[in-house]
Amino acid sequence: MELFYKSTRGNAPKVTASAAILKGLAEDGGLYVPERIPMLDHSMREFSEMSYQETAREVMKLYLTDYTMEELTDCVEKAYDDKFDTDRIAPLRDAGGAAFLELFHGKTIAFKDMALSILPHLMTAAARKCGTEKEIVILTATSGDTGKAALAGFADVPGIRILVFYPKNGVSPIQERQMVTQRGANTRVVGIHGNFDDAQTGVKRLFSDAALRERMNQMGFQFSSANSINIGRLVPQIVYYVYAYAQMQKTGRIADGEEINVAVPTGNFGNILAAYYAKCMGVPIGRLLCASNENKVLFDFLTTGIYDKNREFVLTSSPSMDILVSSNLERLIYQAAGEDAEKNGALMRQLSSEGRYAVTDEMRARLSDFYGNYASEAECAAKIRSLYESDGYVIDPHTAVAAAVYDKYRVQTGDDRKTLIVSTASPFKFTRSVMTAIDAKYDAMDDFALVDRLSALSGVPVPAAIEEIRTAPVLHDIQCGKSEMEQAVLDFLQ
Ligand SMILES: *Cc1c(COP(=O)(O)O)cnc(C)c1O
């Protein structure tokens, strides 16, 4: 049965999966959601016998119903190949009483690779299916990790160009270096004078600018998005929750059908929403622990029902979670509003005009699967140190936020169900924060010396993604003001 996608704002026509992937954002400014969340059509026991690639195909076929099995198989095989440094793609590691799901074994050593390795292939197939003749221009705002993962995924893909905006002073030195050394004639990287929310708001504005869209059209271009608002990002992220659960069952970490909790370091709410979709599809998941850093807008929302972005933006050691407007939350709000696009649209308009909205008690009750908490910078550092000392396991600051929230949750609730902590980046990507959390003396060393030291300490070889940038030349050094983003797009396309 074909599954169509509708807009959370209700003023755009229903489209097929491939059209939704090509468009990214719906024309009315809403996000595409499936008309219904499909149920899994295999048991967990069956999934436990499948490879990551097979699992991906079997989960994605339920959402991307206008792709043939051949197309899906082809996309999956091109995505999850030896770009990953382990053939398990998303391995589990036990530490601190929980199971860590390591999603950083791809090309850019961040979890964004899980979806961005496959999105270019899904998009190329979609363009073919929809008979698009225009060149696709991917516009992306990044808080650090999406940018590099999208650049790596889309570099030299025929028929597609990619432009990435990042906050000039809001990403780690290694993240910045990874981006500005990106090769590929179809790539461009621009640092903006502003924070991630400025970059994200700017990109959203470009997408919904009808005059610009018309001008692009005449020039032979069509915008699309590689941000997690694209349903083509969300669907591949559901896969690893199915895979992880099946592997936990297979290895005896849990009994058949036993419920687990999932702790997710959250920024734009894409990753945790994928976990929620997995739960709705039948994966035995209990609570979803939404972990924030000091930008704790989601914690406040989940505990009070009031979303309020009018607050100081804090730069933390987990920059990919330094976010005040979590775009994917809109998909959940829409669902909690009983799929009432009008109600959702009103809240979202209030968010852009006043910076805040409040949901009703009835809506809050529908969010009870989610638990929110946050970790301060000190708590995050303490968790990195204690896990290293207890288990010899070194985690990155984003993952540490989730691990610290998991500890708080257990103390607060006494719920001791087995927990899957989602590990979203390699510690090598945030070496300085990680090493100084372990011992302040490391602050005196330079970035690459720290990389070698971390490798010695953790017994993990330096990932290829880091080795590459030691010597790579800088190929992008463009900057612009936050009101100059449209010009930056035009410069790139001319
Ligand atoms: C993007 C990112 C996150 C946040 O994920 P969302 O899907 O935006 O909530 C967390 N950790 C790392 C390392 C990331 O790159």
Side-chain angles (χ1 to χ4, degrees):
M1 191 167 52
E2 180 131 42
L3 185 59
F4 288 96
Y5 289 79
K6 56 185 178 178
S7 164
T8 52
R9 306 276 174 103
N11 286 314
K14 278 183 206 169
V15 296
T16 57
S18 55
I21 288 173
L22 270 187
K23 283 172 186 287
L25 201 63
E27 277 134 34
D28 58 359
L31 273 59
Y32 284 115
V33 284
E35 279 187 306
R36 60 188 158 75
I37 296 181
M39 295 304 290
L40 292 172
D41 60 0
H42 294 286
S43 68
M44 280 300 152
R45 190 175 292 280
E46 286 166 339
F47 276 117
S48 72
E49 299 305 323
M50 292 183 202
S51 65
Y52 192 88
Q53 292 81 352
E54 288 165 332
T55 310
R57 196 192 54 206
E58 290 304 305
V59 171
M60 289 173 46
K61 73 171 193 204
L62 301 171
Y63 285 92
L64 310 182
T65 54
D66 66 328
Y67 286 68
T68 64
M69 280 312 259
E70 289 71 37
E71 284 170 329
L72 283 179
T73 304
D74 181 57
C75 289
V76 163
E77 279 172 3
K78 283 179 175 152
Y80 304 113
D81 59 8
D82 57 13
K83 288 192 287 299
F84 285 76
D85 67 11
T86 158
D87 55 15
R88 284 150 69 212
I89 307 294
L92 292 166
R93 161 86 191 238
D94 299 302
F100 286 78
L101 175 63
E102 294 187 347
L103 300 180
F104 54 76
H105 290 273
K107 207 166 173 187
T108 76
I109 59 177
F111 102 93
K112 303 293 194 293
D113 290 325
M114 301 305 297
L116 284 165
S117 301
I118 195 163
L119 183 63
H121 304 296
L122 294 174
M123 212 174 259
T124 313
R128 200 171 49 233
K129 301 166 82 65
C130 298
T132 306
E133 273 156 24
K134 301 211 166 18
E135 189 170 356
I136 297 167
V137 180
I138 307 284
L139 293 185
T140 291
T142 184
S143 52
D145 288 338
T146 297
K148 179 60 188 186
L151 288 161
F154 283 102
D156 297 321
V157 173
I160 303 187
R161 296 198 204 186
I162 173 162
L163 170 54
V164 169
F165 291 102
Y166 73 97
K168 179 67 193 153
N169 296 313
V171 301
S172 85
I174 290 194
Q175 285 179 314
E176 180 171 42
R177 223 182 134 71
Q178 279 189 299
M179 286 190 279
V180 299
T181 55
Q182 178 64 46
R183 291 169 207 277
N186 65 336
T187 66
R188 176 150 307 179
V189 179
V190 177
I192 71 152
H193 305 297
N195 60 34
F196 170 68
D197 283 313
D198 296 324
Q200 175 158 270
T201 307
V203 165
K204 275 196 183 162
R205 201 166 40 230
L206 295 174
F207 272 121
S208 49
D209 182 335
L212 180 63
R213 187 158 58 227
E214 186 46 35
R215 190 160 171 197
M216 288 292 115
N217 225 345
Q218 281 164 9
M219 291 165 68
F221 295 111
Q222 171 187 343
F223 284 145
S224 189
S225 166
N227 276 102
S228 58
I229 52 172
N230 194 316
I231 199 77
R233 282 273 304 272
L234 194 60
V235 171
Q237 290 179 182
I238 301 167
V239 173
Y240 47 75
Y241 290 104
V242 177
Y243 180 73
Y245 185 91
Q247 289 300 311
M248 284 174 82
Q249 183 174 308
K250 181 178 186 169
T251 52
R253 287 175 169 95
I254 49 172
D256 212 338
E258 184 179 332
E259 264 193 5
I260 61 166
N261 293 330
V262 175
V264 187
T266 297
N268 244 337
F269 211 78
N271 201 356
I272 196 166
L273 187 70
Y276 180 64
Y277 277 33
K279 175 181 165 89
C280 296
M281 294 174 79
V283 180
I285 292 174
R287 307 281 319 265
L288 299 138
L289 280 47
C290 174
S292 300
N293 63 22
E294 290 179 3
N295 295 292
K296 57 183 183 56
V297 66
L298 288 167
F299 163 68
D300 292 340
F301 171 65
L302 289 169
T303 46
T304 65
I306 298 170
Y307 194 99
D308 189 352
K309 69 158 189 172
N310 301 311
R311 60 180 73 208
E312 190 116 18
F313 181 88
V314 188
L315 285 177
T316 71
S317 58
S318 43
S320 299
M321 296 158 68
D322 290 346
I323 288 172
L324 296 181
V325 181
S326 295
S327 8
N328 275 290
L329 185 65
E330 178 167 348
R331 290 189 163 111
L332 185 66
I333 295 293
Y334 172 75
Q335 189 169 332
E339 309 218 325
D340 183 335
E342 204 121 315
K343 218 186 227 176
N344 172 65
L347 294 174
M348 294 304 136
R349 277 190 298 278
Q350 211 181 339
L351 179 63
S352 44
S353 61
E354 295 158 39
R356 77 196 288 280
Y357 61 81
V359 298
T360 60
D361 287 343
E362 191 192 355
M363 284 176 70
R364 267 189 82 188
R366 296 203 183 118
L367 303 176
S368 62
D369 286 333
F370 291 85
Y371 162 88
N373 214 328
Y374 73 103
S376 67
E377 287 291 273
E379 288 166 334
C380 166
K383 188 68 207 179
I384 293 173
R385 187 172 53 248
S386 69
L387 204 60
Y388 169 65
E389 284 167 359
S390 64
D391 291 72
Y393 186 46
V394 182
I395 55 175
D396 99 290
H398 302 77
T399 309
V401 166
V405 163
Y406 160 66
D407 289 345
K408 290 187 184 185
Y409 173 76
R410 260 191 331 183
V411 171
Q412 228 175 59
T413 62
D415 179 356
D416 63 357
R417 276 177 282 191
K418 187 84 185 171
T419 298
L420 186 69
I421 298 178
V422 180
S423 182
T424 50
S426 158
F428 284 93
K429 212 162 176 174
F430 302 94
T431 322
R432 180 164 303 277
S433 305
V434 167
M435 292 301 280
T436 53
I438 291 172
D439 194 328
K441 74 176 180 202
Y442 291 120
D443 208 22
M445 293 167 68
D446 79 50
D447 285 325
F448 282 106
L450 283 174
V451 162
D452 293 328
R453 199 57 196 263
L454 171 56
S455 176
L457 210 84
S458 61
V460 176
V462 178
I466 298 293
E467 286 299 353
E468 266 167 26
I469 58 169
R470 279 192 208 248
T471 52
V474 171
L475 301 174
H476 306 266
D477 72 345
I478 302 173
Q479 297 180 28
C480 80
K482 52 189 179 189
S483 59
E484 296 162 352
M485 290 168 64
E486 178 170 346
Q487 194 52 48
V489 173
L490 295 170
D491 290 347
F492 176 45
L493 299 181
Q494 252 128 41

mmCIF file of all heavy atoms in Angstrom, residues 9 25 29 31 139 141 198-209 229 268 325-328 330 351 485:
data_model
loop_
_atom_site.group_PDB
_atom_site.id
_atom_site.type_symbol
_atom_site.label_atom_id
_atom_site.label_comp_id
_atom_site.label_asym_id
_atom_site.label_seq_id
_atom_site.Cartn_x
_atom_site.Cartn_y
_atom_site.Cartn_z
ATOM 1 N N ARG A 9 1.684 21.635 8.235
ATOM 2 C CA ARG A 9 0.963 22.910 8.247
ATOM 3 C C ARG A 9 -0.339 22.839 7.440
ATOM 4 O O ARG A 9 -1.109 23.789 7.429
ATOM 5 C CB ARG A 9 1.838 24.051 7.698
ATOM 6 C CG ARG A 9 3.182 24.200 8.382
ATOM 7 C CD ARG A 9 3.129 25.027 9.650
ATOM 8 N NE ARG A 9 4.432 25.007 10.322
ATOM 9 C CZ ARG A 9 5.304 26.002 10.286
ATOM 10 N NH1 ARG A 9 5.025 27.109 9.632
ATOM 11 N NH2 ARG A 9 6.456 25.898 10.922
ATOM 12 N N LEU A 25 11.535 20.590 2.457
ATOM 13 C CA LEU A 25 10.492 21.260 3.251
ATOM 14 C C LEU A 25 9.257 21.404 2.363
ATOM 15 O O LEU A 25 9.379 21.636 1.170
ATOM 16 C CB LEU A 25 11.028 22.640 3.628
ATOM 17 C CG LEU A 25 10.432 23.391 4.814
ATOM 18 C CD1 LEU A 25 10.679 22.620 6.104
ATOM 19 C CD2 LEU A 25 11.066 24.781 4.924
ATOM 20 N N GLY A 29 5.863 25.721 4.324
ATOM 21 C CA GLY A 29 6.780 25.885 5.451
ATOM 22 C C GLY A 29 6.698 24.756 6.464
ATOM 23 O O GLY A 29 7.436 24.724 7.441
ATOM 24 N N LEU A 31 6.670 20.567 7.728
ATOM 25 C CA LEU A 31 7.545 19.405 7.542
ATOM 26 C C LEU A 31 6.697 18.252 7.028
ATOM 27 O O LEU A 31 5.527 18.114 7.418
ATOM 28 C CB LEU A 31 8.175 19.016 8.887
ATOM 29 C CG LEU A 31 9.473 19.720 9.264
ATOM 30 C CD1 LEU A 31 9.287 21.221 9.328
ATOM 31 C CD2 LEU A 31 9.986 19.214 10.605
ATOM 32 N N LEU A 139 20.933 23.178 0.230
ATOM 33 C CA LEU A 139 21.318 24.245 1.168
ATOM 34 C C LEU A 139 21.254 23.667 2.562
ATOM 35 O O LEU A 139 20.234 23.108 2.954
ATOM 36 C CB LEU A 139 20.333 25.409 1.107
ATOM 37 C CG LEU A 139 20.263 26.247 -0.145
ATOM 38 C CD1 LEU A 139 19.307 27.412 0.091
ATOM 39 C CD2 LEU A 139 21.637 26.771 -0.524
ATOM 40 N N ALA A 141 22.238 24.227 6.807
ATOM 41 C CA ALA A 141 22.780 24.942 7.963
ATOM 42 C C ALA A 141 23.350 23.885 8.888
ATOM 43 O O ALA A 141 22.754 22.833 9.071
ATOM 44 C CB ALA A 141 21.662 25.688 8.678
ATOM 45 N N ASP A 198 20.770 31.327 13.747
ATOM 46 C CA ASP A 198 20.760 32.310 12.656
ATOM 47 C C ASP A 198 20.936 31.600 11.316
ATOM 48 O O ASP A 198 20.266 31.911 10.329
ATOM 49 C CB ASP A 198 21.900 33.323 12.835
ATOM 50 C CG ASP A 198 21.741 34.151 14.103
ATOM 51 O OD1 ASP A 198 20.593 34.473 14.453
ATOM 52 O OD2 ASP A 198 22.765 34.461 14.743
ATOM 53 N N ALA A 199 21.859 30.647 11.281
ATOM 54 C CA ALA A 199 22.117 29.914 10.040
ATOM 55 C C ALA A 199 20.876 29.120 9.629
ATOM 56 O O ALA A 199 20.454 29.151 8.467
ATOM 57 C CB ALA A 199 23.315 28.972 10.223
ATOM 58 N N GLN A 200 20.264 28.449 10.606
ATOM 59 C CA GLN A 200 19.106 27.608 10.305
ATOM 60 C C GLN A 200 17.901 28.457 9.883
ATOM 61 O O GLN A 200 17.205 28.140 8.924
ATOM 62 C CB GLN A 200 18.747 26.756 11.532
ATOM 63 C CG GLN A 200 17.478 25.953 11.342
ATOM 64 C CD GLN A 200 17.400 24.744 12.269
ATOM 65 O OE1 GLN A 200 17.857 23.654 11.924
ATOM 66 N NE2 GLN A 200 16.822 24.925 13.424
ATOM 67 N N THR A 201 17.678 29.559 10.587
ATOM 68 C CA THR A 201 16.573 30.450 10.235
ATOM 69 C C THR A 201 16.801 31.034 8.845
ATOM 70 O O THR A 201 15.875 31.125 8.035
ATOM 71 C CB THR A 201 16.464 31.594 11.275
ATOM 72 O OG1 THR A 201 16.395 30.996 12.561
ATOM 73 C CG2 THR A 201 15.231 32.445 11.059
ATOM 74 N N GLY A 202 18.048 31.406 8.562
ATOM 75 C CA GLY A 202 18.379 31.962 7.247
ATOM 76 C C GLY A 202 18.098 30.971 6.137
ATOM 77 O O GLY A 202 17.523 31.317 5.092
ATOM 78 N N VAL A 203 18.477 29.716 6.338
ATOM 79 C CA VAL A 203 18.247 28.696 5.308
ATOM 80 C C VAL A 203 16.746 28.461 5.127
ATOM 81 O O VAL A 203 16.250 28.385 4.003
ATOM 82 C CB VAL A 203 18.983 27.384 5.654
ATOM 83 C CG1 VAL A 203 18.474 26.227 4.812
ATOM 84 C CG2 VAL A 203 20.480 27.555 5.452
ATOM 85 N N LYS A 204 16.013 28.413 6.237
ATOM 86 C CA LYS A 204 14.566 28.232 6.129
ATOM 87 C C LYS A 204 13.926 29.374 5.355
ATOM 88 O O LYS A 204 12.998 29.182 4.582
ATOM 89 C CB LYS A 204 13.934 28.159 7.522
ATOM 90 C CG LYS A 204 13.975 26.770 8.128
ATOM 91 C CD LYS A 204 13.004 26.693 9.298
ATOM 92 C CE LYS A 204 13.047 25.349 9.980
ATOM 93 N NZ LYS A 204 12.463 25.393 11.316
ATOM 94 N N ARG A 205 14.443 30.590 5.577
ATOM 95 C CA ARG A 205 13.906 31.753 4.878
ATOM 96 C C ARG A 205 14.172 31.638 3.380
ATOM 97 O O ARG A 205 13.305 31.905 2.552
ATOM 98 C CB ARG A 205 14.526 33.032 5.443
ATOM 99 C CG ARG A 205 13.696 34.280 5.164
ATOM 100 C CD ARG A 205 14.131 35.467 5.989
ATOM 101 N NE ARG A 205 15.582 35.544 6.089
ATOM 102 C CZ ARG A 205 16.244 35.682 7.225
ATOM 103 N NH1 ARG A 205 15.604 35.748 8.361
ATOM 104 N NH2 ARG A 205 17.556 35.739 7.240
ATOM 105 N N LEU A 206 15.371 31.214 3.010
ATOM 106 C CA LEU A 206 15.694 31.044 1.590
ATOM 107 C C LEU A 206 14.754 30.026 0.950
ATOM 108 O O LEU A 206 14.283 30.205 -0.166
ATOM 109 C CB LEU A 206 17.152 30.596 1.421
ATOM 110 C CG LEU A 206 18.219 31.601 1.851
ATOM 111 C CD1 LEU A 206 19.606 30.973 1.766
ATOM 112 C CD2 LEU A 206 18.168 32.858 0.993
ATOM 113 N N PHE A 207 14.459 28.951 1.694
ATOM 114 C CA PHE A 207 13.574 27.909 1.166
ATOM 115 C C PHE A 207 12.164 28.427 0.928
ATOM 116 O O PHE A 207 11.499 28.010 -0.002
ATOM 117 C CB PHE A 207 13.470 26.740 2.155
ATOM 118 C CG PHE A 207 14.528 25.715 1.963
ATOM 119 C CD1 PHE A 207 15.407 25.407 2.987
ATOM 120 C CD2 PHE A 207 14.655 25.051 0.756
ATOM 121 C CE1 PHE A 207 16.397 24.457 2.814
ATOM 122 C CE2 PHE A 207 15.641 24.091 0.576
ATOM 123 C CZ PHE A 207 16.515 23.806 1.613
ATOM 124 N N SER A 208 11.698 29.314 1.800
ATOM 125 C CA SER A 208 10.296 29.723 1.661
ATOM 126 C C SER A 208 10.155 31.045 0.908
ATOM 127 O O SER A 208 9.070 31.597 0.836
ATOM 128 C CB SER A 208 9.629 29.780 3.038
ATOM 129 O OG SER A 208 10.434 30.503 3.922
ATOM 130 N N ASP A 209 11.244 31.535 0.298
ATOM 131 C CA ASP A 209 11.208 32.777 -0.476
ATOM 132 C C ASP A 209 10.746 32.457 -1.902
ATOM 133 O O ASP A 209 11.492 31.932 -2.724
ATOM 134 C CB ASP A 209 12.629 33.372 -0.468
ATOM 135 C CG ASP A 209 12.711 34.699 -1.200
ATOM 136 O OD1 ASP A 209 11.865 34.951 -2.091
ATOM 137 O OD2 ASP A 209 13.622 35.483 -0.884
ATOM 138 N N ILE A 229 15.188 18.082 8.707
ATOM 139 C CA ILE A 229 13.798 18.301 8.326
ATOM 140 C C ILE A 229 13.430 17.427 7.134
ATOM 141 O O ILE A 229 12.262 17.173 6.887
ATOM 142 C CB ILE A 229 13.532 19.782 7.972
ATOM 143 C CG1 ILE A 229 14.546 20.277 6.942
ATOM 144 C CG2 ILE A 229 13.562 20.641 9.218
ATOM 145 C CD1 ILE A 229 14.249 21.656 6.393
ATOM 146 N N ASN A 268 18.358 19.033 17.362
ATOM 147 C CA ASN A 268 17.244 19.333 16.465
ATOM 148 C C ASN A 268 16.088 18.341 16.587
ATOM 149 O O ASN A 268 15.123 18.428 15.852
ATOM 150 C CB ASN A 268 17.745 19.366 15.023
ATOM 151 C CG ASN A 268 17.594 20.742 14.411
ATOM 152 O OD1 ASN A 268 16.775 21.543 14.860
ATOM 153 N ND2 ASN A 268 18.367 21.012 13.384
ATOM 154 N N VAL A 325 15.962 26.298 18.647
ATOM 155 C CA VAL A 325 14.755 25.921 17.909
ATOM 156 C C VAL A 325 14.973 24.530 17.324
ATOM 157 O O VAL A 325 15.706 24.353 16.363
ATOM 158 C CB VAL A 325 14.438 26.922 16.778
ATOM 159 C CG1 VAL A 325 13.169 26.511 16.057
ATOM 160 C CG2 VAL A 325 14.280 28.326 17.339
ATOM 161 N N SER A 326 14.364 23.537 17.937
ATOM 162 C CA SER A 326 14.537 22.152 17.499
ATOM 163 C C SER A 326 13.520 21.857 16.406
ATOM 164 O O SER A 326 12.352 21.616 16.696
ATOM 165 C CB SER A 326 14.309 21.204 18.679
ATOM 166 O OG SER A 326 15.297 21.408 19.642
ATOM 167 N N SER A 327 13.972 21.880 15.167
ATOM 168 C CA SER A 327 12.989 21.834 14.063
ATOM 169 C C SER A 327 12.122 20.589 14.024
ATOM 170 O O SER A 327 10.952 20.680 13.682
ATOM 171 C CB SER A 327 13.639 22.023 12.702
ATOM 172 O OG SER A 327 15.006 22.031 12.757
ATOM 173 N N ASN A 328 12.710 19.436 14.355
ATOM 174 C CA ASN A 328 11.897 18.219 14.243
ATOM 175 C C ASN A 328 10.840 18.071 15.321
ATOM 176 O O ASN A 328 9.967 17.221 15.210
ATOM 177 C CB ASN A 328 12.787 16.982 14.266
ATOM 178 C CG ASN A 328 13.297 16.670 12.893
ATOM 179 O OD1 ASN A 328 12.533 16.252 12.024
ATOM 180 N ND2 ASN A 328 14.572 16.926 12.665
ATOM 181 N N GLU A 330 8.511 19.883 15.672
ATOM 182 C CA GLU A 330 7.237 20.192 15.010
ATOM 183 C C GLU A 330 6.488 18.921 14.610
ATOM 184 O O GLU A 330 5.265 18.861 14.683
ATOM 185 C CB GLU A 330 7.478 21.084 13.776
ATOM 186 C CG GLU A 330 6.192 21.383 13.025
ATOM 187 C CD GLU A 330 6.307 22.494 11.987
ATOM 188 O OE1 GLU A 330 7.322 23.221 11.974
ATOM 189 O OE2 GLU A 330 5.366 22.624 11.182
ATOM 190 N N LEU A 351 5.645 30.697 17.630
ATOM 191 C CA LEU A 351 7.076 30.518 17.909
ATOM 192 C C LEU A 351 7.894 31.520 17.105
ATOM 193 O O LEU A 351 8.831 32.123 17.627
ATOM 194 C CB LEU A 351 7.511 29.078 17.588
ATOM 195 C CG LEU A 351 8.978 28.734 17.810
ATOM 196 C CD1 LEU A 351 9.361 28.875 19.286
ATOM 197 C CD2 LEU A 351 9.312 27.331 17.327
ATOM 198 N N MET A 485 23.024 35.873 3.148
ATOM 199 C CA MET A 485 23.044 34.472 2.732
ATOM 200 C C MET A 485 22.510 34.273 1.311
ATOM 201 O O MET A 485 23.001 33.430 0.569
ATOM 202 C CB MET A 485 22.294 33.617 3.753
ATOM 203 C CG MET A 485 23.069 33.509 5.071
ATOM 204 S SD MET A 485 22.126 32.813 6.449
ATOM 205 C CE MET A 485 21.797 31.165 5.863
#
